[in-house]
Amino acid sequence: MSDDKKYITSEELKKHDKQDDLWISIQGKCYNVTDWVKDHPGGDIPIRSLAGQEATDAFIAFHPGTAWKYLDKFFTGYHLKDYEVTEVSKDYRKLCSEFSKAGMFEKKGHGVIYSFCFVTLLMSLSFCGVLLSQNFLVHMLSAALLGLAWMQISYLGHDSGHYVMMTNRGFNKLAQILTGNCLSGISIAWWKWTHNAHHVACNSLDHDPDLQHLPVFAVSTKFFKSLNSSFYGRELTFDSVAKFFVSYQHFTYYPIMCVARVNLFVQTFLLLFSTRKVPDRALNILGILVFWTWFPLLVSTLPNWTERFLFVLLSFCVTSLQHIQFTLNHFAADVYVGQPEGNDWFEKQTSGTIDIACVSWMDWFYGGLQFQLEHHLFPRLPRCHLRKVSPIVQDLCKKHKLPYRSLSFYEANVWTLRTLKTAAMQARGLLWEAVNTHG
């Protein structure tokens, strides 16, 4: 019996990676998602990043089983002639199937309830300290408690952004706006825009926005070539200003982390008031207005400007522990230049992530993201299961001779500073060369 299927090669599939011609392959079947990209719940960036490629593992990672039924309407009629599944992918897909059959993606545990109660307690204590006391030290303690609350709120926002907090999608969206916009002042629309791109293109210097911090930071000397950011659609210029800042980045790293929250506020406003299409723009703006109502009012009740400044600064400094953690997970990991490839999904995640080792009773502090590799491999898995699957992921990495890096918080800091210093020394050489050349 003859095979009536129509086939194209991987090379032919690669030609369909344009804005007006987007194809992807899932399990060897080719789909035209050109018109769908504007309505994709995860945004356009993930699809554009994997356009023209086989993307089965990425699709499995981000989509529940119910999503498969929607693929048929995009089927082109073509199959991938040279479609192959690596041994790593076979094992990864088997794990995803086993976790799904065990109901792990649906069983969210009671961690969310505990976290909400903890956040409520922290914010209540902070508000009471500001409103009911005139003592300077109590006010500073209140600032620290607010910073700690923001850390926990961000973890909840992260969970809801991945739709692993609530069983209902509508309740998840409500939790996103509440935790991100109303309580933190950071738009969940901005977070989802950048975070989805980060997951798909983990540690790609020109595709992952979480590594694109010029002129302040450069984790690799490859940034010295002024890479073009496919995410921002502009050149990441390594000019004289960038050379100067990067030359001292291992010294400025912690001070900048202390005020990194300001940048998140700025990025939120830049997106919400841009011409770019933003899902639920009005709801996001309303949530931001809630934050910029209660937070300034709270600070204004402090007795003088000195205390107000110190209150804000201290709350930001405490929250910087979380910003530091996020960079520890990736800054010192392997990087690459170019478009992510869907057929080496597991390998890219292992090379681009670093776990933070901690005892189980400290899991609350890291919000589950100490298991960064596990989260990247299974982004739909609720945080309560990450520690359970960690040994399984370690065994799989060992089986396929892939890196599994789990460092203490201290060790991860040392690795990150070493990475920053290495790039800084080379940037400093270029800076002095420019000074000597141009006087």
Side-chain angles (χ1 to χ4, degrees):
M1 184 176 179
S2 62
D3 187 353
D4 295 329
K5 292 181 180 178
K6 295 186 294 182
Y7 291 93
I8 62 172
T9 65
S10 294
E11 288 301 314
E12 291 173 309
L13 178 63
K14 287 180 181 178
K15 298 176 183 178
H16 299 279
D17 64 348
K18 309 297 187 297
Q19 185 169 344
D20 59 348
D21 183 23
L22 295 172
W23 286 26
I24 58 171
S25 166
I26 298 175
Q27 289 192 332
K29 298 177 70 174
C30 299
Y31 299 93
N32 185 342
V33 292
T34 307
D35 296 328
W36 166 243
V37 68
K38 63 180 183 298
D39 299 314
H40 182 232
D44 61 329
I45 296 295
I47 291 181
R48 295 188 192 284
S49 295
L50 295 171
Q53 299 186 56
E54 215 296 312
T56 303
D57 289 347
F59 183 86
I60 290 174
F62 287 104
H63 299 85
T66 54
W68 290 88
K69 64 183 179 182
Y70 297 105
L71 287 176
D72 287 345
K73 61 182 178 181
F74 305 116
F75 183 46
T76 62
Y78 287 96
H79 293 74
L80 206 56
K81 186 175 183 179
D82 47 355
Y83 172 66
E84 294 181 0
V85 184
T86 65
E87 292 303 313
V88 179
S89 288
K90 288 179 182 178
D91 285 344
Y92 172 65
R93 296 176 193 182
K94 182 180 178 182
L95 274 185
C96 290
S97 177
E98 290 175 355
F99 293 166
S100 181
K101 289 178 181 177
M104 294 176 67
F105 294 112
E106 284 73 41
K107 296 175 183 176
K108 308 183 187 304
H110 301 294
V112 170
I113 297 175
Y114 298 148
S115 293
F116 266 122
C117 292
F118 188 40
V119 165
T120 302
L121 175 63
L122 290 173
M123 295 199 72
S124 297
L125 291 174
S126 177
F127 278 46
C128 288
V130 171
L131 301 175
L132 303 180
S133 174
Q134 296 299 317
N135 185 280
F136 172 79
L137 292 179
V138 172
H139 290 165
M140 294 305 101
L141 176 60
S142 300
L145 291 174
L146 180 59
L148 185 58
W150 276 335
M151 288 178 60
Q152 297 302 310
I153 290 167
S154 294
Y155 294 137
L156 289 171
H158 178 268
D159 290 345
S160 64
H162 278 289
Y163 294 94
V164 297
M165 179 186 289
M166 309 288 190
T167 55
N168 181 283
R169 192 175 184 87
F171 285 143
N172 263 299
K173 180 176 287 189
L174 177 62
Q176 290 171 14
I177 297 297
L178 175 63
T179 55
N181 299 54
C182 298
L183 296 180
S184 300
I186 300 169
S187 168
I188 195 66
W190 171 83
W191 179 86
K192 290 168 73 173
W193 178 47
T194 59
H195 196 67
N196 288 341
H198 162 67
H199 265 272
V200 170
C202 179
N203 273 34
S204 168
L205 297 178
D206 53 340
H207 283 73
D208 185 353
D210 283 10
L211 292 186
Q212 299 174 0
H213 301 297
L214 283 178
V216 181
F217 296 131
V219 298
S220 169
T221 56
K222 293 178 181 179
F223 276 120
F224 298 176
K225 299 178 182 179
S226 296
L227 297 175
N228 186 66
S229 169
S230 66
F231 180 81
Y232 292 111
R234 59 177 172 81
E235 184 181 81
L236 302 170
T237 307
F238 190 69
D239 54 17
S240 57
V241 175
K243 288 178 185 177
F244 176 78
F245 281 115
V246 171
S247 295
Y248 299 96
Q249 63 182 1
H250 51 306
F251 294 118
T252 61
Y253 172 63
Y254 292 114
I256 288 176
M257 288 296 105
C258 287
V259 293
R261 198 166 189 82
V262 175
N263 178 57
L264 303 185
F265 294 151
V266 172
Q267 295 300 323
T268 284
F269 279 100
L270 289 177
L271 177 65
L272 293 185
F273 295 98
S274 69
T275 56
R276 178 182 174 81
K277 181 181 177 181
V278 179
D280 302 310
R281 186 194 300 268
L283 193 58
N284 273 265
I285 292 175
L286 179 61
I288 294 300
L289 290 176
V290 171
F291 173 81
W292 287 109
T293 299
W294 74 258
F295 182 55
L297 283 175
L298 178 68
V299 174
S300 69
T301 61
L302 293 166
N304 54 65
W305 281 106
T306 300
E307 283 200 29
R308 292 165 190 163
F309 172 77
L310 291 176
F311 181 93
V312 173
L313 180 61
L314 182 56
S315 65
F316 285 9
C317 287
V318 171
T319 313
S320 72
L321 290 170
Q322 186 179 66
H323 302 312
I324 291 170
Q325 177 197 342
F326 293 159
T327 58
L328 298 183
N329 287 140
H330 296 286
F331 271 21
D334 301 335
V335 298
Y336 65 100
V337 176
Q339 187 177 10
E341 296 183 5
N343 59 0
D344 64 354
W345 172 260
F346 194 99
E347 295 91 329
K348 279 291 194 295
Q349 307 309 318
T350 58
S351 66
T353 55
I354 294 175
D355 281 10
I356 307 296
C358 73
V359 293
S360 59
W361 56 267
M362 278 295 289
D363 284 351
W364 66 271
F365 184 78
Y366 297 99
L369 298 183
Q370 72 276 28
F371 297 108
Q372 188 70 192
L373 174 56
E374 290 78 2
H375 169 63
H376 266 257
L377 290 173
F378 310 103
R380 294 189 298 109
L381 196 66
R383 71 167 99 159
C384 60
H385 300 303
L386 294 176
R387 182 172 287 276
K388 301 174 189 175
V389 306
S390 180
I392 301 174
V393 173
Q394 291 182 50
D395 289 342
L396 193 55
C397 288
K398 184 177 180 180
K399 175 183 177 181
H400 295 285
K401 296 180 173 57
L402 295 170
Y404 183 94
R405 290 161 291 199
S406 182
L407 308 175
S408 70
F409 189 78
Y410 172 78
E411 289 172 329
N413 273 270
V414 171
W415 279 41
T416 298
L417 288 175
R418 185 169 61 219
T419 298
L420 293 174
K421 184 177 181 180
T422 299
M425 292 300 99
Q426 297 188 52
R428 192 172 297 182
L430 294 175
L431 179 65
W432 283 112
E433 180 182 320
V435 171
N436 293 330
T437 302
H438 301 290

